Amino acid sequence: MKIGFIGSGIMGRPMSLNLIKAGHELYTWGRRFDAVEPLLVAGAVGKGTPAEVAAEAEVTITMVGTTADVEQVVLGERGLMHGARPGSVIVDMSTIAPSAARRIAGELASRGIHMLDAPVSGGQTGAAQGTLSIMAGGDAEVFARVKPLLEALGRSIVHVGGHGAGQVVKACNQIVVSLTMEGVAEAILLARNNGVDPAKMREALMGGYANSRILEVHGQRMLEGNYKAGFKVKLHHKDMGIVMDNARENRTTLPGTELVARQFAALMEAGETELDSSAIMLALERLSGS
Ligand code: NAP
């Protein structure tokens, strides 16, 4: 299949490579040459604008940063919308506001272009191994068309509803992930402050109900104090904003998420924007003065 791909960061680059490995013809564009170069070396074709990428492709995937980034890449002056053929599909796999996903889908529909919001969970490792969890919103028929392609990227691929539903489910994912991260960080801190080896604590918990991927992966990073991203603090902070804005729009009270959102806001204020989100441990240590 001829596929367009925009976004060659921590997630987008390995995802693009998996699509090339699966035998697809990949067209790409990036605003920095050094970010796209490894893809060109692997066989991708570089184009001058997002619109030129979309003109070549049956399906174009975006994996950029924020809502504003997706709007720029899709709807902007030289955006995908201006090159995409009617009947083609744009799949946004970034994490953005559900309301924005619906708005963008509406704009594209008026030009006969299909859209799916298909955010992911599974991080850098899932992207590299092609084992992401993908939660898709949009028309069921369009989803069925694109699903074989998504199978090169993920293991669990679920159509969860209409436009925006994928982003709502991703917001739910981020509630569970962030509250679990906070729990793991608090457990490590309490063990340490009791003179109990936090590595032993983690090992013991991994055998019971408290086990999770977060305890395994982020718990290990917290023990090592290794905060190389991964999933950047600034992106997690962005996601907390999406969740809290959506909760306000839907008159939903999320006290736990609000509390954890404050930890990410504190990391942002401290300038620790590029660290891995497991650096929530640092914010907690500061609160405890340890
Ligand atoms: P990243 O490493 O910062 O990469 C973002 C990529 O998008 C970069 O190639 C960047 O280009 C490009 N980009 C951003 N804004 C752009 C714009 N306006 N125009 C053109 N290119 C733009 O981010 P990431 O970690 O791959 O995350 C990408 C998305 O996936 C985010 O929405 C994030 O929330 C979501 N996500 C990430 C993870 C994770 O573990 N990292 C997990 C699940 C979901 P430059 O290099 O030029 O800046």
Side-chain angles (χ1 to χ4, degrees):
M1 211 170 184
K2 287 184 162 195
I3 299 168
F5 204 110
I6 311 285
S8 41
I10 288 175
M11 298 295 285
R13 188 182 303 179
M15 290 165 72
S16 295
L17 291 173
N18 282 337
L19 289 167
I20 294 171
K21 261 189 241 151
H24 298 289
E25 215 172 293
L26 198 95
Y27 295 83
T28 191
W29 164 87
R31 54 188 178 186
R32 287 184 310 110
F33 179 73
D34 57 329
V36 289
E37 194 184 8
L39 301 180
L40 304 183
V41 170
V45 179
K47 288 284 166 182
T49 65
E52 286 176 26
V53 168
E56 298 288 346
E58 296 161 61
V59 176
T60 301
I61 295 173
T62 50
M63 191 57 170
V64 290
T66 63
T67 296
D69 294 323
V70 175
E71 283 173 339
Q72 190 182 3
V73 165
V74 178
L75 309 176
E77 210 181 316
R78 296 178 303 159
L80 298 174
M81 179 175 81
H82 301 291
R85 288 185 297 256
S88 63
V89 187
I90 293 176
V91 184
D92 178 38
M93 303 189 79
S94 328
T95 305
I96 67 168
S99 54
R102 288 185 208 111
R103 198 170 57 241
I104 296 169
E107 289 260 0
L108 294 175
S110 67
R111 293 174 178 241
I113 304 162
H114 303 294
M115 163 103 184
L116 291 178
D117 47 294
V120 308
S121 175
Q124 194 175 15
T125 312
Q129 295 175 349
T131 56
L132 291 167
S133 158
I134 303 175
M135 38 215 107
D139 292 347
E141 278 172 22
V142 176
F143 173 73
R145 231 172 97 192
V146 170
K147 193 170 178 234
L149 171 67
L150 299 179
E151 281 164 357
L153 305 174
R155 194 179 282 158
S156 158
I157 305 159
V158 184
H159 181 234
V160 293
H163 293 300
Q167 294 295 356
V168 172
V169 173
K170 173 67 186 185
C172 297
N173 182 82
Q174 293 308 72
I175 293 175
V176 176
V177 164
S178 58
L179 288 174
T180 309
M181 280 174 65
E182 175 70 18
V184 168
E186 290 187 10
I188 289 175
L189 192 69
L190 191 69
R192 195 191 289 156
N193 288 351
N194 272 280
V196 172
D197 181 353
K200 289 281 178 207
M201 179 279 294
R202 173 175 166 277
E203 187 187 332
L205 264 57
M206 277 168 61
Y209 267 19
N211 193 23
S212 67
R213 289 286 291 154
I214 305 287
L215 182 64
E216 288 172 30
V217 176
H218 298 80
Q220 184 62 34
R221 287 180 192 164
M222 290 174 193
L223 289 176
E224 291 170 358
N226 170 13
Y227 301 126
K228 181 178 181 301
F231 183 52
K232 292 171 195 160
V233 163
K234 69 177 180 191
L235 292 178
H236 210 129
H237 174 66
K238 177 241 332 167
D239 290 0
M240 294 290 92
I242 291 170
V243 175
M244 295 314 298
D245 287 349
N246 187 275
R248 270 187 290 277
E249 284 162 25
N250 288 289
R251 295 170 190 263
T252 309
T253 308
L254 303 176
T257 311
E258 194 171 350
L259 203 83
V260 183
R262 273 190 234 141
Q263 306 274 52
F264 286 108
L267 291 172
M268 293 296 287
E269 274 167 37
E272 290 159 334
T273 58
E274 302 296 315
L275 296 185
D276 186 74
S277 60
S278 51
I280 193 169
M281 187 78 216
L282 294 177
L284 190 64
E285 283 168 348
R286 274 182 219 127
L287 276 181
S288 291
S290 51

